[in-house]
Amino acid sequence: MSKPYKRILLTGAGGNLGRRLRERLHDFADIVRLADVADIGPAGPNEEVVQCDLADRAQVMRMCEGVDAVLHFGGVSTEVEFAPIMQANILGMVNLYEAVHKLGIRRVVFASSNHTMGMYETSQRVDAGMLPRADGYYGLSKVWGENLSRYYWDRFGVETVCIRIGYCFPEPVTHRQMVTWLSLDDLVELLRRALVTPRVGHTIAFGVSDNPGRWWDDREARHLAFQAGDSSARFTVDGGQPFAYPPEDDLSTFLQGGAFVTTGPKYPQ
Amino acid sequence: MSKPYKRILLTGAGGNLGRRLRERLHDFADIVRLADVADIGPAGPNEEVVQCDLADRAQVMRMCEGVDAVLHFGGVSTEVEFAPIMQANILGMVNLYEAVHKLGIRRVVFASSNHTMGMYETSQRVDAGMLPRADGYYGLSKVWGENLSRYYWDRFGVETVCIRIGYCFPEPVTHRQMVTWLSLDDLVELLRRALVTPRVGHTIAFGVSDNPGRWWDDREARHLAFQAGDSSARFTVDGGQPFAYPPEDDLSTFLQGGAFVTTGPKYPQ
Amino acid sequence: MSKPYKRILLTGAGGNLGRRLRERLHDFADIVRLADVADIGPAGPNEEVVQCDLADRAQVMRMCEGVDAVLHFGGVSTEVEFAPIMQANILGMVNLYEAVHKLGIRRVVFASSNHTMGMYETSQRVDAGMLPRADGYYGLSKVWGENLSRYYWDRFGVETVCIRIGYCFPEPVTHRQMVTWLSLDDLVELLRRALVTPRVGHTIAFGVSDNPGRWWDDREARHLAFQAGDSSARFTVDGGQPFAYPPEDDLSTFLQGGAFVTTGPKYPQ
Amino acid sequence: MSKPYKRILLTGAGGNLGRRLRERLHDFADIVRLADVADIGPAGPNEEVVQCDLADRAQVMRMCEGVDAVLHFGGVSTEVEFAPIMQANILGMVNLYEAVHKLGIRRVVFASSNHTMGMYETSQRVDAGMLPRADGYYGLSKVWGENLSRYYWDRFGVETVCIRIGYCFPEPVTHRQMVTWLSLDDLVELLRRALVTPRVGHTIAFGVSDNPGRWWDDREARHLAFQAGDSSARFTVDGGQPFAYPPEDDLSTFLQGGAFVTTGPKYPQ
Amino acid sequence: MSKPYKRILLTGAGGNLGRRLRERLHDFADIVRLADVADIGPAGPNEEVVQCDLADRAQVMRMCEGVDAVLHFGGVSTEVEFAPIMQANILGMVNLYEAVHKLGIRRVVFASSNHTMGMYETSQRVDAGMLPRADGYYGLSKVWGENLSRYYWDRFGVETVCIRIGYCFPEPVTHRQMVTWLSLDDLVELLRRALVTPRVGHTIAFGVSDNPGRWWDDREARHLAFQAGDSSARFTVDGGQPFAYPPEDDLSTFLQGGAFVTTGPKYPQ
Amino acid sequence: MSKPYKRILLTGAGGNLGRRLRERLHDFADIVRLADVADIGPAGPNEEVVQCDLADRAQVMRMCEGVDAVLHFGGVSTEVEFAPIMQANILGMVNLYEAVHKLGIRRVVFASSNHTMGMYETSQRVDAGMLPRADGYYGLSKVWGENLSRYYWDRFGVETVCIRIGYCFPEPVTHRQMVTWLSLDDLVELLRRALVTPRVGHTIAFGVSDNPGRWWDDREARHLAFQAGDSSARFTVDGGQPFAYPPEDDLSTFLQGGAFVTTGPKYPQ
């Protein structure tokens, strides 16, 4: 059967999520182009492999040539010092959208992060119409990406779905992981919806499974028709250990960003 | 078993929805009075048939005599030139509510339309607290009906449930039809809830099944306790053809009104 | 000095407001075309006079030919039975906008009314983002006009400023008149701003002077830069008579529409 | 298996809800201390019994000693004259929070009531961000408790979950009971979530099962991760009798408080 | 000239504000009845004096007999232990409204306080639609009064204007006093507006002069038509001393309640 | 007389605004340190001069040593290609806040821009609670600064006032300049208020004089007590030329960003 797109590009293909997504993307396109800053080995059937430093404009332009849609999972994905975040997540985004716009690529799915909103409290309901409150340089760089893509929609008509991805690992353990969990299947389904909804304009969606008590209200992304198939309800918090009151000064339980809110930002000495 | 009402009136009984609803209404009343501007043939058991031009006040008054509740599906139901819309949907509504008020009928269910909001974008969430943005003369006439019935509630205590009906045909095919689909069973259930909720005041409800990605948030009508039993998820969009990007200038995919946004209004030459 | 427009059209030129506005409009255009359903006598210098029944499409088209902007004050301006309201205010508006659109006229200023919102309570703050709650057929016809003009903006790019005019007579006496008063000077200034603001899109503004305690919050029309120069503060309520508690059942003091809320629609017998 | 708390206190243990909850609380703590103003008989296994008048500060202090969390169901639970409500629900709450604060108890679950919002209309959607509109002295005393506990959170960091309990009896019969029903199982589950969510700050939650048409939107308490397991949909309203229009002057069907709105405060003669 | 009311009652006539208001009230009524728990000396011309303990229902009933409107400034007006606050401000309010309702008095002006909202931050804008966040027992008792009076409006049609009075002393000195200042003239004008606006329903107004930087948005009370004539701009903050950064742990500069937020409830030992 | 601060730092002292502000800052501090990337000549009395490249962390640290408050006007101030914007406005901001935080400086005033919101329409009211919609790389870099400073407040307690500066040149000429004008006197007054308000937390204020029709609602910054003393009302739009309809395709009149919205990002070839 024919597929929605001829060629899609996955950046960050060598990263944690990229590796898990790789085999799942073939439903979306005849050819899946895989890009990473590192060498990720040879291409498989119906695959192309490109090595690319996002901070290098010419490389980014080449990476995007011939592509119909981009799944942008590349860049730095954790809280580190600012220099690499700036190169990959800030300059890299500019290079990517410059290429996308110049080449006439019409849609991008951008792997944003819940750390764009990490300074909201865990007893607050958050939606995409609220102002960002990032919890570190990493989160701030994701807010940059959301705003940049908004600009390319307002000005040039490039469509983007920003997905504020939750805790996307196989098994959630802590309360925070349970609340923010996104199963791989649900991520794939959300990517599918982001790719085949006829018009998305600039949409900010929360990437989260149907977990009890999730903090994020996805009302601004209903038109994507994403319906989570998984829920963290089938896991047991803290391996079944009884509830223990968190220490009064444990910021990581007060704020949605969890451990990020106390680690970030890292100043090199 | 006894039924909620003794006699209810269905206007527009000869129309597309009227014909499909006819047999389903007997649960709601001992007698179902069927009205249409055209001859719809003889009455069946527990039925009465009235031929009535909504623009004729005296006929409307006779049509309503002895009735306990009205299901108003009559009038023009598509985008045509203004004259017949004015006669049937604007003057006709005034005649109807004048009769309802004078005769002491306490509740009306009014078949409004999603075309009251057709100029909102397909990536916007719409609810009944937002200002109408109709997509043509037909949609504007439905907004007229909603506002008129609001007045009769504020001023005279006549209760109305306005149902902004979606795509109410047996099988949705396109993306827009999938998003806006209302199954006949769900319409009947919504009518039932509109008839037996003790107090409805003036309620604007969206008539839509439990479809993925539906644009309409029915928060202002929760008290009706309508729960859709159907979903368009069981259909396949475009008969399973792969996703194709709509042309950049295709307004009918940007705006919720679909094809209506480019056809309407029709000026006779 | 040259003027903003070459030719503007004032409809309803023979009405109460029309007569008072006539001499004030010459600042806005080289030629002021005056239209009314009745004979309003001969044209003065730089004036043209047209007799026109708004319900007659061909007459309306001729009335609008060669015009650069329209000040639409024509139609029925009080609560009467429905038939004349429908002809002048509903069909008349459709005829006008059909002509405006076909002739490429780019801007209309529409004399709407506070009776679009008359069923809100006198202790409520009202703004243009709230749903209309008209207080009779007249108010409903003005809501029709607002929605119709919204449609012509959304669909065809015709710009309209709807002015919800308050109590526009020389001297306010009652509390309600004091709260809703609009001086003629302020109306003229508001017309001027509606005519010379570069972009107005579809704007709903409240036509009210800078009165203490006014119910209407004009936040949605700030871009017009209207600044009232008058205030009812210089008048004395009820001629200085001491405060008297209104009777408990006096709806006209509870609801913003005042006396309109109880006269309601007039049914001919 | 070990339990979330060592010792929890249930006040109002001899009341209607207290008696039904008693056996269900042992999952939450090693020891359940039961308090009531009346003699409730001997303690069972893992139970302690305390007789306590909430209006007596010293007794309240003793009642709370050694406790890890409080489920406060004590006080007057229906509309009576003001004196006993003031003693038990107003002074009693102050005494309780003074004790809780002084003893360093970190969390309270407070049995508030839907009668805090009883004067909203039955066709209105209500959430915890809206201003209270109590329907009598009882409801007002519950608003007092909500505000007092908010203060102890803002000022002293005592966490409270206020549960606005609906109709919590075994079988709902009337429309209002169907809409507001809270099953005992769901109440227990809500208590569990209120006890084991790591941070609750000051949360106002609606205690209601997953009933069709429920008036209350629990959006402000999503972080509790409460998911109702029951629904009144399995009951039949009014024993299956057909719908009958309520009398036009029946306030108890217009307002959410039901019969409370007309019994109102009881003035002793 | 005749006056708005025949007889008004001022409670708390011996208090700080009561004494300053006494001579200013004669414009509002032919007879001013002055009440206080203490002996305030003899009545002057057109005055009546009543000694009354608000906690005594019979005394309150007598105090209110023959009165047309009440200005309720009585009760405890600062943060003290709970017992006297409960007697005067909670029980006292119940006694007052019981009397007002039974005697058919139609309007009350209630001296509420900004300490109903004292726990909001000084960089937050506060309006009357936001949930109260009191800063102590005193503030909580004022919230009680606001909610109680709301109930008497919803249920019995007694009208109340609650005035959240700011810093009402002759000369503001500190930043907080400058922001929250209410001149006596402005208080009198606000009382006048509260007394002569035809319908007030239940209104919560902020009593504050036209000070730069005031935290309170009085949008919900615009219909009172209060226009402050004074402003703290004519005073000099801190006697002209240069700005000094407040200590980082000085809660009284972070929270609107000022010093109240740290004195908090006084527990007798 | 003593002054609010001992030493304040002005960055961008050689820029357009910096030069005009220089002499006006001496009221705020005993010593004004002036910094710029270029050589700005010798220091005057009570001045210090520092040459500093914002992209150089060590230089920025030295620039900030001994400073009590920062007025950050440095960086690129117009739409150019991305590389210099990234160095000065993105990396520069990170370097600045790192220094501010490490050195314990408690307050920054950040010269943000109205181009953070330039893609909103000219008929829309904009406030600081709405999501940014920048009109180019420059505007995006200012959004970056606002979000970064928000983070330093949430995480480290560094206070910032972000001022979205309008058209700050001596004389406005076009409609857009009239609407967005900020006089130098008003800018100085706004700086003063930003410096001497005891607590500002993280505040986003619009820097605009009291112009008729201004698009920006400064409700989120009321606590600064800024009161504009100037207004563009005293200027004449377009030198008094009559109103001329802008061309239908002139985006710069539809969108608040004006000419910026079409120059957009400049891609070097």
Side-chain angles (χ1 to χ4, degrees), chain A residues 4-214:
Chain A
Y5 289 89
K6 286 186 189 153
R7 179 183 284 107
I8 59 172
L9 166 67
L10 174 70
T11 68
N16 167 51
L17 282 177
R19 287 193 308 271
R20 296 170 71 204
L21 284 172
R22 182 171 178 171
E23 66 177 322
R24 307 292 294 270
L25 302 182
H26 289 276
D27 288 348
F28 304 152
D30 299 329
I31 299 172
V32 177
R33 181 178 295 173
L34 303 163
D36 202 278
V37 67
D39 180 349
I40 59 167
N46 301 316
E47 287 182 351
E48 298 170 352
V49 167
V50 179
Q51 194 162 356
C52 175
D53 178 357
L54 291 166
D56 182 309
R57 182 186 317 174
Q59 290 184 29
V60 171
M61 184 68 76
R62 279 193 300 275
M63 173 181 75
C64 292
E65 274 167 8
V67 160
D68 299 307
V70 179
L71 307 183
H72 183 48
F73 282 70
V76 174
S77 63
T78 185
E79 189 66 29
V80 295
E81 61 175 275
F82 186 63
I85 289 176
M86 184 172 77
Q87 290 303 310
N89 293 15
I90 293 180
L91 178 56
M93 277 297 277
V94 170
N95 289 338
L96 181 70
Y97 274 82
E98 182 180 342
V100 160
H101 166 50
K102 284 195 173 161
L103 295 168
I105 299 170
R106 293 185 54 194
R107 189 169 294 183
V108 179
V109 183
F110 168 50
S112 183
S113 166
N114 69 83
H115 292 287
T116 52
M117 309 298 267
M119 296 309 266
Y120 282 98
E121 297 178 17
T122 53
S123 53
Q124 281 181 290
R125 183 182 32 86
V126 165
D127 66 52
M130 295 163 70
L131 294 181
R133 292 179 64 182
D135 58 22
Y137 289 161
Y138 167 66
L140 285 163
S141 76
K142 291 299 184 182
V143 178
W144 166 266
E146 293 182 354
N147 287 325
L148 183 82
S149 55
R150 171 87 215 192
Y151 170 70
Y152 276 84
W153 165 244
D154 282 343
R155 178 77 173 90
F156 300 113
V158 176
E159 293 195 306
T160 298
V161 176
C162 303
I163 303 180
R164 292 177 173 169
I165 297 174
Y167 179 80
C168 194
F169 291 89
E171 295 214 3
V173 173
T174 68
H175 177 80
R176 184 182 183 280
Q177 292 168 358
M178 299 277 282
V179 167
T180 65
W181 188 59
L182 175 66
S183 75
L184 188 67
D185 284 350
D186 280 342
L187 173 56
V188 171
E189 171 63 10
L190 184 45
L191 293 178
R192 192 180 69 80
R193 294 303 313 156
L195 286 171
V196 305
T197 298
R199 298 284 186 200
V200 300
H202 185 263
T203 296
I204 297 177
F206 287 93
V208 64
S209 290
D210 186 24
N211 311 320
R214 62 195 177 285

Side-chain angles (χ1 to χ4, degrees), chain E residues 7-227:
Chain E
R7 179 183 283 108
I8 58 172
L9 165 67
L10 173 70
T11 68
N16 167 51
L17 282 178
R19 286 194 309 270
R20 296 170 71 204
L21 285 172
R22 182 171 177 170
E23 64 177 325
R24 307 292 294 270
L25 303 181
H26 289 276
D27 287 348
F28 302 153
D30 300 329
I31 298 172
V32 178
R33 181 178 294 174
L34 302 163
D36 202 279
V37 65
D39 180 349
I40 59 167
N46 300 316
E47 288 182 351
E48 298 170 351
V49 167
V50 180
Q51 194 163 356
C52 173
D53 178 355
L54 291 166
D56 183 308
R57 182 187 316 176
Q59 290 183 29
V60 171
M61 184 67 78
R62 279 194 301 273
M63 174 181 73
C64 292
E65 274 168 9
V67 161
D68 298 307
V70 179
L71 306 183
H72 184 48
F73 282 71
V76 173
S77 63
T78 186
E79 190 65 30
V80 296
E81 61 175 274
F82 186 63
I85 289 176
M86 182 172 79
Q87 290 302 309
N89 294 14
I90 293 179
L91 179 55
M93 277 295 278
V94 170
N95 288 338
L96 180 70
Y97 274 81
E98 182 179 343
V100 160
H101 167 48
K102 282 195 173 160
L103 295 167
I105 299 170
R106 291 184 55 193
R107 189 169 294 182
V108 178
V109 183
F110 168 50
S112 182
S113 167
N114 69 84
H115 291 287
T116 53
M117 308 299 266
M119 296 310 266
Y120 281 98
E121 296 178 16
T122 53
S123 54
Q124 282 181 289
R125 184 181 33 86
V126 165
D127 67 52
M130 295 164 70
L131 294 181
R133 292 179 62 183
D135 58 22
Y137 290 161
Y138 167 66
L140 285 163
S141 76
K142 291 298 183 182
V143 179
W144 167 265
E146 292 182 354
N147 286 326
L148 183 82
S149 55
R150 170 89 216 192
Y151 170 70
Y152 275 85
W153 164 245
D154 281 344
R155 178 77 173 90
F156 300 113
V158 176
E159 293 195 305
T160 298
V161 176
C162 303
I163 304 179
R164 291 176 174 170
I165 296 174
Y167 179 78
C168 194
F169 291 89
E171 296 214 1
V173 173
T174 68
H175 177 80
R176 184 183 184 280
Q177 291 167 0
M178 299 277 282
V179 167
T180 66
W181 187 57
L182 175 67
S183 75
L184 188 66
D185 284 351
D186 280 343
L187 174 56
V188 171
E189 172 62 10
L190 185 45
L191 293 178
R192 191 180 70 80
R193 293 305 312 160
L195 286 171
V196 307
T197 297
R199 298 285 186 199
V200 299
H202 185 263
T203 296
I204 296 177
F206 287 94
V208 64
S209 290
D210 186 24
N211 312 319
R214 59 195 180 286
W215 302 317
W216 308 321
D217 182 340
D218 211 26
R219 64 213 308 258
E220 303 296 340
R222 281 174 54 157
H223 53 279
L224 294 184
F226 167 62
Q227 298 194 314

Side-chain angles (χ1 to χ4, degrees), chain D residues 57 94 98 128 130-131 133-137 140 143-144 147-148 150-152 154-155 261-262 264-265 267-268, chain E residues 57 94 98 128 130-131 133-137 140 143-144 147-148 150-152 154-155 261-262 264-265 267-268:
Chain D
R57 182 187 316 175
V94 170
E98 183 180 342
M130 296 164 70
L131 294 181
R133 292 179 63 183
D135 58 22
Y137 289 160
L140 285 163
V143 178
W144 167 265
N147 286 326
L148 183 82
R150 170 88 215 193
Y151 170 69
Y152 275 85
D154 281 342
R155 178 77 172 89
V261 306
T262 47
Y267 302 129
Chain E
R57 182 187 316 176
V94 170
E98 182 179 343
M130 295 164 70
L131 294 181
R133 292 179 62 183
D135 58 22
Y137 290 161
L140 285 163
V143 179
W144 167 265
N147 286 326
L148 183 82
R150 170 89 216 192
Y151 170 70
Y152 275 85
D154 281 344
R155 178 77 173 90
V261 307
T262 47
Y267 302 128

Side-chain angles (χ1 to χ4, degrees), chain C residues 109-124:
Chain C
V109 182
F110 168 51
S112 183
S113 167
N114 68 84
H115 292 287
T116 52
M117 308 299 267
M119 297 309 266
Y120 282 98
E121 297 178 17
T122 53
S123 53
Q124 281 182 289

